[in-house]
Each structure stands twice: as C-alpha cells, then as structure tokens.
Amino acid sequence: MIPIIILSSYDLTYSEEHIAKEINKNPNYFIKNSITTISQELGVATSTISRLAKKLGYKTFKEFKLFIYEKNKQIKNNFSIENGGKLPKLIQKIKNFNMYSIFETINNLDPAELNSVIHCILKSKRIFIYGVGSGGMVASEMNNNLRRLGLNSHTSQDFHGQILFLNSFKENELFILFSTSGLTREIIELIKIAQHNNCQTLLITARQDLGKTLQPNFVLYYYVHYDESAYFPIISSKISQLIISDILVSMLIEKLPDKQEEIENGKHLIVNWNRTGSIF
C-alpha cells in the first residue's frame, strides 16, 4: 500500500498519527466528509485535524482535502500494482517503488534551497561527501562527478577516517551527508564536529523533520516508498539519492561554462573512439 501521508517524514503526536493512519486506510472517507463528521467518527477534536493539516503544510482543511484527493488519484493512476499488466508482480513492485521515489523527490525539491546549495559548493575550498550503504555508493558517484568539474572533493566510508579528516575542516568548506534516517550515531556526531569547526553542512535525507533537530546549514529531502523497509536490497532510496546528486551536478555544470566545453570535447573523443577505434 502506498500511503497518502508518510508517517516517518513528520513529527506527529499520537492523535495526529492516528488521523494520518486513517487517511492512509480510507482516503475517500476524508474526501467525502466534513471535518465535524470525521472528528466524531475518529473520536478526535476538529482542532487536532486542523493542526495535522497545518503541520503538513496546508492552511485550511479544504486545502488538505484537495491534497488527499489529488494524491489518491495520482497513486491510483501511476503506482497501482493491481493493474493486470504483463509484468510479474514483483517486477511491477520494484518499478512502482522507483517511480514513486523519483516522482515524489523531484516534485518536492525546494528550488531556493537547491540554489543555495549550489552557491555554497562553488565557494567552498574543500568538499567532503559521506554516506554508508546505498548512500556510500551515491557519495562516491557524486565525488567523482565533482572532481571531474575541477572541484576539490573527497569521500570515504570509513567513519574514523572521516572524523580525522573532518576535524581539519574549517569555514568556507562543505560537508555533505547522505542518510535515509539521518539519526545514526555516526551522522549525528559528524554534523556536531562540522558545526564545531564552523564547516557548512548539507544533509540529504528522507526524514522530513530532521532539519530542525540537527540544524545543518542546508537540507534536501528525498522520498522513499512506504514499504521499502520490508525489502532487501533497499530499493527506492538509491534512486532518490542519485536523483538529487544528478540534479546538483547538472546545475553546477550550467554554472561552469568552461566545464561545459570540456565535457562536450570529451563526448566527441568518446564518439570518435567508438566509431573509428581512435581518439583523434
């Protein structure tokens, strides 16, 4: 089941979480009924429903209902597994997990925050990128791309080495972290060290409530499928992290016209090699 509201993305009270779970179970009930009817059915105050709507970013219950309607329609049209298609059900699930993550991540990115991150990357003397698991793979990919653009970028999946390296970081340097939960001891301690050294921090995470908790300088959120934790290997977090990495690198290329020319020249060399077996 794909949820209307991703519970792990918000810091909800018990009553707010109860309402959110009921919305996920039966969104049509919330679409068709008034706030008074819903509050009586669920045994909660209308103010609690309104508070949940505001916590999710909607000023009124009417706006909240419209969000539920549009999200429910989107899920049925794009991410339904029971569609009688030709793909086996497992492959359909994997397809839907990734489609959901791509769609939600791109549509919820904050353009202003992206631009602020790009500005910070360009003015940073050094950049260090950290992630473990799928985050480590994406950190390595992003590091390679930044180095190709001539930026002073480094990466490592060794936590102890990370501490030693990060301890030398200072102002005008940037630390980028990939973490789905953002709550591991390693991530928390690394952000503390960076902040102690006045180093800029960018957290790329799926936890929507971590910006206020950990207080990095920048936060970019990605979305993972509700059922992802039930699968191994983890499916949708990799594609979400890669999407953000690719967007940042593409934005940097636009800001570096001399690098665009180098990239085009490199493409021509590759084409020549593939066609003729010779670089020139």
Side-chain angles (χ1 to χ4, degrees), residues 44-231:
V44 297
T46 56
S47 60
T48 305
I49 300 174
S50 297
R51 189 169 63 245
L52 172 64
K54 289 179 180 177
K55 189 169 282 189
L56 269 62
Y58 301 94
K59 294 180 181 178
T60 65
F61 180 66
K62 185 177 180 180
E63 285 184 9
F64 189 37
K65 284 180 73 170
L66 181 61
F67 155 73
I68 296 170
Y69 170 79
E70 293 292 346
K71 191 66 178 286
N72 190 45
K73 181 180 176 182
Q74 175 199 114
I75 289 170
K76 285 183 177 179
N77 290 343
N78 297 295
F79 309 119
S80 175
I81 293 173
E82 307 297 339
N83 59 5
K86 295 180 181 179
L87 290 175
K89 192 171 181 179
L90 176 61
I91 297 176
Q92 182 70 38
K93 275 189 177 182
I94 294 171
K95 170 193 167 187
N96 287 353
F97 282 5
N98 283 307
M99 285 177 60
Y100 174 83
S101 296
I102 292 169
F103 188 91
E104 291 294 310
T105 297
I106 290 176
N107 281 283
N108 287 284
L109 281 173
D110 182 352
E113 189 78 345
L114 282 169
N115 285 320
S116 297
V117 169
I118 293 300
H119 178 72
C120 183
I121 291 174
L122 289 172
K123 74 175 186 178
S124 295
K125 294 177 181 177
R126 285 190 297 176
I127 301 162
F128 206 99
I129 311 172
Y130 179 75
V132 294
S134 62
M137 178 193 72
V138 179
S140 178
E141 172 75 10
M142 186 176 186
N143 179 65
N144 289 337
N145 286 329
L146 294 187
R147 291 181 70 86
R148 289 189 187 108
L149 295 178
L151 299 174
N152 187 8
S153 180
H154 310 268
T155 188
S156 171
Q157 292 189 43
D158 175 38
F159 175 66
H160 297 98
Q162 189 87 10
I163 292 175
L164 294 173
F165 195 86
L166 185 59
N167 202 44
S168 70
F169 267 45
K170 296 185 174 76
E171 197 174 347
N172 293 327
E173 297 180 316
L174 173 64
F175 186 39
I176 301 174
L177 305 96
F178 286 91
S179 175
T180 296
S181 73
L183 292 175
T184 64
R185 287 178 56 200
E186 291 84 358
I187 293 295
I188 292 170
E189 290 305 313
L190 288 172
I191 289 178
K192 285 181 181 177
I193 294 170
Q195 291 170 338
H196 177 75
N197 291 344
N198 295 317
C199 173
Q200 299 289 294
T201 52
L202 163 61
L203 177 63
I204 300 174
T205 182
R207 281 293 299 242
Q208 308 294 309
D209 57 335
L210 283 186
K212 294 180 181 178
T213 305
L214 298 180
Q215 296 185 328
N217 299 94
F218 311 99
V219 186
L220 292 174
Y221 297 111
Y222 60 87
Y223 287 73
V224 296
H225 194 283
Y226 183 75
D227 293 329
E228 179 181 358
S229 60
Y231 286 83

